[in-house]
Amino acid sequence: MTEVDRLLAGNESYVSGTRARPDNAEPARRLAVLTCMDTRIDPLAALGLGVGEAHVLRNAGGRVTDDVLRSLALSVHVLGVRTVVVMQHTRCGLAHVTNDDLHVRTGANIDFYPIADHAVALRDDVNKLTASEVLNPIGEVAGMLYDVQTGEVKLQLRWRQDV
Ligand SMILES: [Zn+2]
């Protein structure tokens, strides 16, 4: 049995279960959460959210990249999102490494958006969102740090405007 076989078996259980399957593609909380791909984070559970309530975007580090802007432009302008949360986390694999390290380890000569300091990275990412023409108008943006040991989320910064 391969991993793909296990996934298909898992889906059989999922289909026969009684989970909610919302019919509306628009996030009920008008919310999008960007976070890291780290396996220790369950973004819906960590923030008290359910299926159907928020867009969840994930990448290495939970960083605002061009592709995140692409997705959020659709969240905001097509699917009614008004609040965006960037949630980075403690013990992130992108923290305290450099692009040079990662170029050597991966062989890929690209920007990995490493994080020297979460306060700075979150501020930069929130600024990138609020300055982006493709997201305007957006109501509220927040930067948060998730503690992978305690599960606690700390608000690092927030930005608001009336829309
Ligand atoms: Zn991470």
Side-chain angles (χ1 to χ4, degrees):
M1 203 181 204
T2 70
E3 186 56 47
V4 171
D5 295 322
R6 282 189 286 274
L7 294 172
L8 293 172
N11 179 251
E12 277 182 35
S13 305
Y14 177 77
V15 168
S16 62
T18 55
R19 292 164 192 252
R21 292 187 182 80
D23 199 33
N24 190 349
E26 295 184 6
R29 299 266 292 262
R30 307 185 84 183
L31 168 69
V33 177
L34 166 65
T35 194
C36 184
M37 64 187 187
D38 193 290
T39 58
R40 295 167 289 187
I41 305 170
D42 180 345
L44 296 183
L47 295 169
L49 296 165
V51 173
E53 294 190 326
H55 284 155
V56 177
L57 286 64
R58 303 189 73 157
N59 64 24
R63 301 303 314 269
V64 176
T65 62
D66 286 347
D67 194 62
V68 165
L69 293 177
R70 177 185 72 91
S71 295
L72 288 178
L74 296 168
S75 294
V76 171
H77 294 292
V78 179
L79 292 158
V81 163
R82 289 293 171 268
T83 304
V84 178
V85 169
V86 181
M87 189 171 79
Q88 296 175 1
H89 68 99
T90 60
R91 301 189 169 197
C92 185
L94 272 188
H96 313 300
V97 293
T98 65
N99 268 328
D100 286 344
D101 298 334
L102 294 169
H103 292 165
V104 170
R105 290 174 68 184
T106 65
N109 190 25
I110 55 178
D111 186 356
F112 286 93
Y113 295 76
I115 298 167
D117 178 325
H118 282 291
V120 174
L122 284 166
R123 191 191 62 217
D124 288 350
D125 283 349
V126 166
N127 286 344
K128 212 170 184 180
L129 294 174
T130 59
S132 170
E133 286 181 6
V134 301
L135 298 189
N136 208 11
I138 194 169
E140 185 171 18
V141 182
M144 299 177 177
L145 191 66
Y146 176 81
D147 186 319
V148 294
Q149 291 170 287
T150 65
E152 185 182 5
V153 167
K154 286 200 174 123
L155 180 67
Q156 303 286 304
L157 73 160
R158 68 202 303 174
W159 175 97
R160 288 193 68 159
Q161 73 176 355
D162 291 327
V163 293

